[in-house]
Amino acid sequence: MQSSASVVAEPANPELDAVRLEALDCQRCDLWQGRTQVVMGEGNPHAGILLMGEAPGANEDATGRPFVGRAGQLLDSALEEAGIGRNDVYITNVVRCRPTAVKGGSVTNRAPRAGEIAACEPWRWLEISLVNPQVVVCVGGPAAKALIDKKLKITEQRGRFFDKEDGRAYIATLHPAYVLRLYSADRDAYRTARANLVSDLRQAQERAATKPR
Ligand code: SF4
């Protein structure tokens, strides 16, 4: 077992901590009315790779942490298979409050609307600029459209790097919730999609290792 004396703590990021605190009271869009809490990003505050997902779901809203439900478990296993520790990356979402809809009398998750994604943009760019990663992985279509190109087709353009003006490399990959939905519908498609997710994460890791900040 590693001794506590040999553990090297990540340097703090006080500016990011201040942004996280400030965001907790955000009411920039109507999603604040249905949330339990704002779900800001977590992970290495100086990570070389930042993962940008879609939105908190019920589990994330309840715990205050991104990607902790079944999709989060799949993401964790894909990260591990790609040789990346979850604590080595920074994980966040394009919106930080849970979007909900009522179906059949039950409250369910829904995709964030364009206006909600736009309203949350200041927090998104503050997290990116303060973590300052070399590579941003857009996890799913909404993140890829918001950060890379609003016309991006995720199934056709995932796994490619887009070098942006901010000096970072952006890459889109499949959302683990989408990969999970394939499991019961088409097992071969599930296996292919999961392998693509791992491959994209591995590419991000390799790029971050070679790209200077
Ligand atoms: S989703 Fe973003 S912009 Fe909307 S209330 Fe939550 S933190 Fe604010």
Side-chain angles (χ1 to χ4, degrees), residues 23 26-33 35 38 40 94-98 116 119-123:
C26 179
Q27 298 183 3
R28 287 179 54 88
C29 77
D30 287 346
L31 290 181
W32 76 271
Q33 296 179 62
R35 74 186 179 213
V38 172
M40 288 297 280
V94 286
V95 299
R96 285 148 191 78
C97 302
R98 181 191 178 198
E116 295 158 352
C120 219
E121 184 174 359
W123 302 124

Short mmCIF file of all heavy atoms in Angstrom, two decimals, residues 23 26-33 35 38 40 94-98 116 119-123, ligand 1:
data_model
loop_
_atom_site.label_atom_id
_atom_site.label_comp_id
_atom_site.label_asym_id
_atom_site.label_seq_id
_atom_site.Cartn_x
_atom_site.Cartn_y
_atom_site.Cartn_z
N ALA A 23 -21.18 29.85 -8.45
CA ALA A 23 -22.19 29.21 -9.31
C ALA A 23 -23.32 28.56 -8.50
O ALA A 23 -24.41 28.33 -9.04
CB ALA A 23 -21.53 28.16 -10.20
N CYS A 26 -26.59 30.26 -8.86
CA CYS A 26 -26.93 30.74 -10.20
C CYS A 26 -28.43 30.57 -10.51
O CYS A 26 -29.02 29.53 -10.24
CB CYS A 26 -26.10 30.00 -11.24
SG CYS A 26 -26.50 30.53 -12.92
N GLN A 27 -28.99 31.63 -11.10
CA GLN A 27 -30.39 31.58 -11.58
C GLN A 27 -30.44 32.15 -12.99
O GLN A 27 -31.40 32.83 -13.36
CB GLN A 27 -31.31 32.37 -10.64
CG GLN A 27 -31.36 31.81 -9.23
CD GLN A 27 -32.32 32.55 -8.31
OE1 GLN A 27 -33.02 33.48 -8.71
NE2 GLN A 27 -32.35 32.14 -7.06
N ARG A 28 -29.40 31.88 -13.78
CA ARG A 28 -29.33 32.45 -15.13
C ARG A 28 -30.35 31.83 -16.08
O ARG A 28 -30.62 32.38 -17.13
CB ARG A 28 -27.91 32.26 -15.69
CG ARG A 28 -26.86 33.18 -15.06
CD ARG A 28 -25.47 32.92 -15.66
NE ARG A 28 -25.49 33.02 -17.10
CZ ARG A 28 -25.30 34.14 -17.79
NH1 ARG A 28 -25.05 35.27 -17.13
NH2 ARG A 28 -25.33 34.15 -19.10
N CYS A 29 -30.85 30.63 -15.76
CA CYS A 29 -31.92 30.06 -16.58
C CYS A 29 -32.93 29.39 -15.65
O CYS A 29 -32.68 29.23 -14.46
CB CYS A 29 -31.39 29.08 -17.63
SG CYS A 29 -30.93 27.46 -16.98
N ASP A 30 -34.06 28.98 -16.20
CA ASP A 30 -35.15 28.46 -15.36
C ASP A 30 -34.83 27.11 -14.70
O ASP A 30 -35.60 26.66 -13.84
CB ASP A 30 -36.42 28.30 -16.20
CG ASP A 30 -37.05 29.66 -16.52
OD1 ASP A 30 -36.64 30.66 -15.88
OD2 ASP A 30 -37.91 29.72 -17.41
N LEU A 31 -33.75 26.47 -15.11
CA LEU A 31 -33.45 25.16 -14.52
C LEU A 31 -33.19 25.25 -13.02
O LEU A 31 -33.28 24.24 -12.32
CB LEU A 31 -32.24 24.52 -15.23
CG LEU A 31 -32.48 24.06 -16.67
CD1 LEU A 31 -31.23 23.43 -17.24
CD2 LEU A 31 -33.64 23.07 -16.73
N TRP A 32 -32.87 26.43 -12.51
CA TRP A 32 -32.60 26.54 -11.07
C TRP A 32 -33.82 26.16 -10.26
O TRP A 32 -33.71 25.67 -9.14
CB TRP A 32 -32.12 27.95 -10.71
CG TRP A 32 -33.22 29.00 -10.68
CD1 TRP A 32 -33.65 29.75 -11.71
CD2 TRP A 32 -34.02 29.36 -9.54
NE1 TRP A 32 -34.68 30.58 -11.31
CE2 TRP A 32 -34.92 30.37 -9.98
CE3 TRP A 32 -34.05 28.96 -8.21
CZ2 TRP A 32 -35.85 30.95 -9.12
CZ3 TRP A 32 -34.98 29.54 -7.36
CH2 TRP A 32 -35.87 30.53 -7.81
N GLN A 33 -35.02 26.35 -10.86
CA GLN A 33 -36.24 26.14 -10.08
C GLN A 33 -36.50 24.67 -9.75
O GLN A 33 -37.15 24.36 -8.76
CB GLN A 33 -37.44 26.70 -10.85
CG GLN A 33 -37.34 28.20 -11.03
CD GLN A 33 -38.51 28.77 -11.82
OE1 GLN A 33 -39.65 28.68 -11.39
NE2 GLN A 33 -38.22 29.34 -12.96
N ARG A 35 -33.95 22.26 -9.53
CA ARG A 35 -32.75 21.53 -9.10
C ARG A 35 -32.74 21.31 -7.59
O ARG A 35 -33.34 22.09 -6.84
CB ARG A 35 -31.50 22.32 -9.49
CG ARG A 35 -31.28 23.55 -8.62
CD ARG A 35 -30.12 24.40 -9.09
NE ARG A 35 -29.95 25.58 -8.26
CZ ARG A 35 -29.53 26.76 -8.69
NH1 ARG A 35 -29.21 26.94 -9.97
NH2 ARG A 35 -29.40 27.77 -7.86
N VAL A 38 -26.76 22.83 -7.72
CA VAL A 38 -25.94 23.01 -8.92
C VAL A 38 -24.85 21.94 -8.91
O VAL A 38 -24.23 21.68 -7.88
CB VAL A 38 -25.28 24.42 -8.93
CG1 VAL A 38 -24.29 24.55 -10.08
CG2 VAL A 38 -26.36 25.49 -9.04
N MET A 40 -21.45 21.30 -10.26
CA MET A 40 -20.26 21.79 -10.94
C MET A 40 -19.33 20.62 -11.25
O MET A 40 -19.54 19.50 -10.77
CB MET A 40 -19.54 22.82 -10.06
CG MET A 40 -20.26 24.16 -9.96
SD MET A 40 -20.40 25.02 -11.55
CE MET A 40 -18.78 25.77 -11.70
N VAL A 94 -22.36 20.64 -19.97
CA VAL A 94 -22.71 21.91 -20.62
C VAL A 94 -23.75 22.70 -19.83
O VAL A 94 -23.78 23.92 -19.87
CB VAL A 94 -23.18 21.76 -22.10
CG1 VAL A 94 -22.03 21.47 -23.02
CG2 VAL A 94 -24.28 20.78 -22.25
N VAL A 95 -24.63 22.01 -19.10
CA VAL A 95 -25.48 22.72 -18.13
C VAL A 95 -25.28 22.08 -16.76
O VAL A 95 -24.97 20.89 -16.65
CB VAL A 95 -26.99 22.72 -18.50
CG1 VAL A 95 -27.22 23.41 -19.82
CG2 VAL A 95 -27.58 21.33 -18.49
N ARG A 96 -25.45 22.88 -15.72
CA ARG A 96 -25.08 22.45 -14.37
C ARG A 96 -26.28 22.19 -13.46
O ARG A 96 -26.11 21.94 -12.26
CB ARG A 96 -24.12 23.47 -13.76
CG ARG A 96 -22.75 23.34 -14.34
CD ARG A 96 -21.95 24.62 -14.45
NE ARG A 96 -20.78 24.31 -15.28
CZ ARG A 96 -20.83 24.21 -16.61
NH1 ARG A 96 -21.95 24.39 -17.27
NH2 ARG A 96 -19.74 23.87 -17.29
N CYS A 97 -27.49 22.28 -14.02
CA CYS A 97 -28.69 21.95 -13.25
C CYS A 97 -29.49 20.93 -14.06
O CYS A 97 -29.48 20.97 -15.29
CB CYS A 97 -29.54 23.18 -12.99
SG CYS A 97 -28.63 24.48 -12.11
N ARG A 98 -30.19 20.06 -13.36
CA ARG A 98 -30.89 18.95 -14.02
C ARG A 98 -32.09 19.43 -14.84
O ARG A 98 -33.03 20.01 -14.27
CB ARG A 98 -31.37 17.96 -12.96
CG ARG A 98 -32.09 16.76 -13.55
CD ARG A 98 -32.78 15.95 -12.48
NE ARG A 98 -33.50 14.82 -13.05
CZ ARG A 98 -34.47 14.14 -12.44
NH1 ARG A 98 -34.82 14.49 -11.20
NH2 ARG A 98 -35.07 13.13 -13.04
N GLU A 116 -30.93 27.06 -22.49
CA GLU A 116 -30.29 26.66 -21.22
C GLU A 116 -28.79 26.47 -21.43
O GLU A 116 -27.98 26.86 -20.58
CB GLU A 116 -30.96 25.38 -20.71
CG GLU A 116 -32.43 25.59 -20.34
CD GLU A 116 -33.27 24.32 -20.34
OE1 GLU A 116 -32.78 23.25 -20.77
OE2 GLU A 116 -34.45 24.41 -19.93
N ALA A 119 -27.30 29.87 -21.65
CA ALA A 119 -27.26 30.56 -20.36
C ALA A 119 -26.11 30.06 -19.49
O ALA A 119 -25.52 30.82 -18.72
CB ALA A 119 -28.59 30.35 -19.63
N CYS A 120 -25.76 28.79 -19.62
CA CYS A 120 -24.71 28.20 -18.77
C CYS A 120 -23.31 28.41 -19.35
O CYS A 120 -22.33 27.99 -18.74
CB CYS A 120 -24.99 26.71 -18.58
SG CYS A 120 -24.62 26.11 -16.92
N GLU A 121 -23.22 29.06 -20.49
CA GLU A 121 -21.93 29.21 -21.17
C GLU A 121 -20.85 29.90 -20.32
O GLU A 121 -19.69 29.46 -20.33
CB GLU A 121 -22.13 29.98 -22.48
CG GLU A 121 -20.86 30.09 -23.29
CD GLU A 121 -21.11 30.73 -24.64
OE1 GLU A 121 -22.26 31.06 -24.96
OE2 GLU A 121 -20.13 30.89 -25.37
N PRO A 122 -21.19 30.95 -19.56
CA PRO A 122 -20.12 31.59 -18.77
C PRO A 122 -19.44 30.62 -17.80
O PRO A 122 -18.21 30.64 -17.66
CB PRO A 122 -20.86 32.70 -18.01
CG PRO A 122 -22.07 32.99 -18.85
CD PRO A 122 -22.47 31.68 -19.46
N TRP A 123 -20.23 29.78 -17.13
CA TRP A 123 -19.62 28.82 -16.20
C TRP A 123 -18.77 27.81 -16.95
O TRP A 123 -17.71 27.40 -16.49
CB TRP A 123 -20.72 28.07 -15.41
CG TRP A 123 -21.63 28.94 -14.63
CD1 TRP A 123 -22.99 28.99 -14.73
CD2 TRP A 123 -21.27 29.90 -13.62
NE1 TRP A 123 -23.50 29.91 -13.85
CE2 TRP A 123 -22.48 30.49 -13.16
CE3 TRP A 123 -20.06 30.32 -13.07
CZ2 TRP A 123 -22.48 31.46 -12.17
CZ3 TRP A 123 -20.08 31.30 -12.10
CH2 TRP A 123 -21.27 31.86 -11.65
S1 SF4 B 1 -28.15 25.41 -15.75
FE1 SF4 B 1 -26.38 26.79 -15.60
S2 SF4 B 1 -27.19 28.81 -16.17
FE2 SF4 B 1 -28.98 27.52 -15.68
S3 SF4 B 1 -29.36 27.96 -13.49
FE3 SF4 B 1 -28.05 26.14 -13.61
S4 SF4 B 1 -25.94 26.90 -13.38
FE4 SF4 B 1 -27.26 28.65 -13.92
#
